[in-house]
Amino acid sequence: MTATTVLTARALLLDMDGTLVNSDTVVERCWRRWADRHGLDGDEVMKVVHGRQGFASMAVLLPHRPMEQNHADNARMLAEETADMDGVVAVPGAAAFLASLDGLPHALVTSADVGLSSARMAAAGLELPDVRVTAESVGASKPDPEGFLKGAAELGVAPEDCVVFEDSGAGISAGRAAGMRVVGVGPRAGFHRPDALVRDLTQIRVERVGDGPLRLHVS
C-alpha cells in the first residue's frame, strides 16, 4: 500500500501464527508428515490447515473419519508441534507492535492451545497479551467467529468496535462473521480481501489520544 489508511477501533484482536509469529516451517514439517502418513497430497493439505484447529483441518481433509479420531490425532499433532520450535521467529515489527499496545485493549485469539501458544510466543521473543483466547476456550474452530466474539466480550467491547489482525482465509472469514473489520498480514491474507493489507507489522502504527478510540495507521 502506498497511501496511509486510518482505522479506528476500541480493541484489537490478534491472531498468532502468521500474524505475530512466523511458524510456517514447523507447520509445514508437521503437517506434511501427517499427510504422508494418511496418503494425502502435502500441497493440498497445506491449503487447508492455516488458521484452523488441527481437528477441524482433519475433518475437512478426512471427512468420513470419526471426529473422536480427529481429536485424538490433533492431541498428538499439538504435542509434536509444541516440541518443535526450530525456525519459529517473530513476524517483522511484532515486538514493537505489541509494545505499542501496552495498556490498550487487545487480546490474542489463536487456534493454538495454551502450551503451543506459550511456546511459540516465547521462541519468537514476544510477550503474551494479558487476555488470551486459545483452543481450550472455544467449542468451534475458525472460521467460526466464536473465538473473536469471546475476545471482544472479555475486553468488554462491542464486536463492531474491534479490528482483527489475521493472515489466513479461515481467520479472516471468522473476523468477518463476527462483524469485525480485518487487517490482513502477509501474502496469504491478500487472497481473502481483508479491509486493509500489510506485508508485516512494521506497516502498522497505533495511537490513542486521551480516552478516545485507537487509531490504526496502516501504510
Side-chain angles (χ1 to χ4, degrees):
M1 299 177 67
T2 55
T4 298
T5 299
V6 179
L7 302 175
T8 59
R10 293 285 176 184
L12 306 184
L13 302 177
L14 316 174
D15 174 52
M16 182 183 71
D17 290 302
T19 301
L20 298 172
V21 173
N22 184 343
S23 55
D24 281 0
T25 55
V26 62
V27 171
E28 288 261 351
R29 278 196 299 273
C30 291
W31 278 100
R32 286 184 182 277
R33 282 197 297 264
W34 183 89
D36 287 343
R37 289 196 296 268
H38 294 278
L40 299 175
D41 182 86
D43 290 339
E44 294 303 311
V45 167
M46 294 314 302
K47 293 176 183 178
V48 171
V49 301
H50 291 291
R52 292 179 170 88
Q53 290 190 45
F55 73 85
S57 296
M58 293 168 188
V60 173
L61 294 161
L62 297 172
H64 302 298
R65 190 167 77 159
M67 189 56 75
E68 58 266 25
Q69 285 185 243
N70 294 334
H71 282 285
D73 212 359
N74 184 47
R76 290 188 289 270
M77 175 70 76
L78 285 169
E80 187 178 344
E81 289 185 292
T82 303
D84 185 355
M85 293 294 126
D86 187 21
V88 174
V89 295
V91 167
F97 175 62
L98 287 171
S100 76
L101 300 183
D102 186 35
L104 302 179
H106 68 288
L108 186 73
V109 181
T110 176
S111 295
D113 64 2
V114 169
L116 182 56
S117 59
S118 299
R120 283 189 176 160
M121 289 289 280
L126 300 176
E127 294 289 332
L128 280 164
D130 291 336
V131 178
R132 302 185 287 275
V133 179
T134 61
E136 298 94 338
S137 309
V138 297
S141 169
K142 299 172 185 176
D144 190 282
E146 181 185 359
F148 287 126
L149 291 172
K150 185 161 188 176
E154 291 197 15
L155 293 170
V157 177
E160 62 268 23
D161 291 328
C162 295
V163 168
V164 165
F165 283 74
E166 264 286 1
D167 74 300
S168 70
I172 291 169
S173 294
R176 285 205 184 105
M180 301 171 182
R181 290 154 295 154
V182 181
V183 175
V185 181
R188 274 193 297 270
F191 295 104
H192 304 284
R193 303 179 66 183
D195 296 284
L197 177 66
V198 295
R199 177 186 64 254
D200 56 45
L201 296 172
T202 64
Q203 295 180 273
I204 299 287
R205 181 170 62 86
V206 182
E207 66 173 355
R208 185 181 199 177
V209 178
D211 293 327
L214 309 180
R215 291 172 61 86
L216 312 180
H217 298 264
V218 184
S219 61

